[in-house]
Amino acid sequence: MEQDIEQLWSNQSAERWKRRKRELAAWIERPKPQNWQKKLLLFDDIEVDASIYPALMALKELDFKTEYSCAGVSMLDEPEDHSLYAYVTLMEGPNTNQFVEYAMQRMGYRLLVTYEGLKHRYDLSSFYISQNRSFCYGLELCAKEFLAVKSAQ
């Protein structure tokens, strides 16, 4: 039965959760002028945010199946009409668990991970709105490093 509920895998401190709540409150109140539209690219015939595209390509190289993704909001482009936090949903597979643990170790508190046992998927997201772009870049780096380690074995 425990498998049916969403499980929080990452371990952020109580102070970090408070900081996240303060960041969210400040984000809601701040003016959000749109500088320009978010750039999109085609990934497997689906339009995705250009900022997360390199990470998706690196995950694809690992034969990971992704289900959903978003580069999150940003004051650099569209500050609204997107998920507040950057995220990627990975479907469970032979090396997915091992990769998620590697990414958690590598990205530390910046990575929020939940596992949905019923749907056999992992949700990886940025922990802070202000780190959405670094989440995209960090996830790409983790995937490339993980591939290099796997290839060397």
Side-chain angles (χ1 to χ4, degrees):
M1 198 59 143
E2 194 174 293
Q3 184 173 347
D4 296 346
I5 59 171
E6 188 173 280
Q7 301 169 9
L8 179 63
W9 275 30
S10 51
N11 187 20
Q12 284 80 5
S13 68
E15 183 52 43
R16 291 199 194 281
W17 282 103
K18 288 176 190 171
R19 178 180 162 198
R20 186 179 202 236
K21 192 174 183 178
R22 288 191 306 269
E23 180 194 47
L24 178 58
W27 180 265
I28 290 168
E29 295 300 320
R30 75 186 301 174
K32 299 174 199 72
Q34 180 177 334
N35 295 319
W36 52 78
Q37 286 191 322
K38 198 173 279 248
K39 293 178 184 169
L40 302 174
L41 294 172
L42 275 182
F43 176 76
D44 290 342
D45 298 323
I46 298 169
E47 284 186 335
V48 299
D49 297 334
S51 297
I52 204 152
Y53 180 84
L56 294 174
M57 291 300 292
L59 292 166
K60 184 177 182 175
E61 212 172 323
L62 285 163
D63 293 323
F64 291 158
K65 184 176 183 285
T66 57
E67 192 173 26
Y68 306 107
S69 67
C70 183
V73 296
S74 170
M75 292 306 287
L76 301 175
D77 47 46
E78 289 187 30
E80 298 184 278
D81 299 328
H82 287 271
S83 170
L84 284 178
Y85 301 95
Y87 71 91
V88 172
T89 301
L90 291 176
M91 301 308 294
E92 195 169 45
N95 294 311
T96 315
N97 182 294
Q98 199 176 14
F99 171 75
V100 170
E101 289 182 9
Y102 177 81
M104 285 172 49
Q105 184 178 54
R106 190 76 170 75
M107 294 175 74
Y109 73 88
R110 296 171 182 259
L111 180 63
L112 180 65
V113 177
T114 58
Y115 176 72
E116 295 178 80
L118 196 59
K119 295 183 180 180
H120 305 285
R121 66 184 184 190
Y122 300 84
D123 294 312
L124 285 64
S125 71
S126 59
F127 191 69
Y128 296 120
I129 297 168
S130 61
Q131 296 173 346
N132 282 342
R133 295 301 175 265
S134 63
F135 166 84
C136 297
Y137 181 67
L139 192 60
E140 175 192 5
L141 284 179
C142 284
K144 287 180 175 181
E145 291 170 0
F146 190 79
L147 179 62
V149 168
K150 283 291 184 193
S151 297
Q153 291 178 343

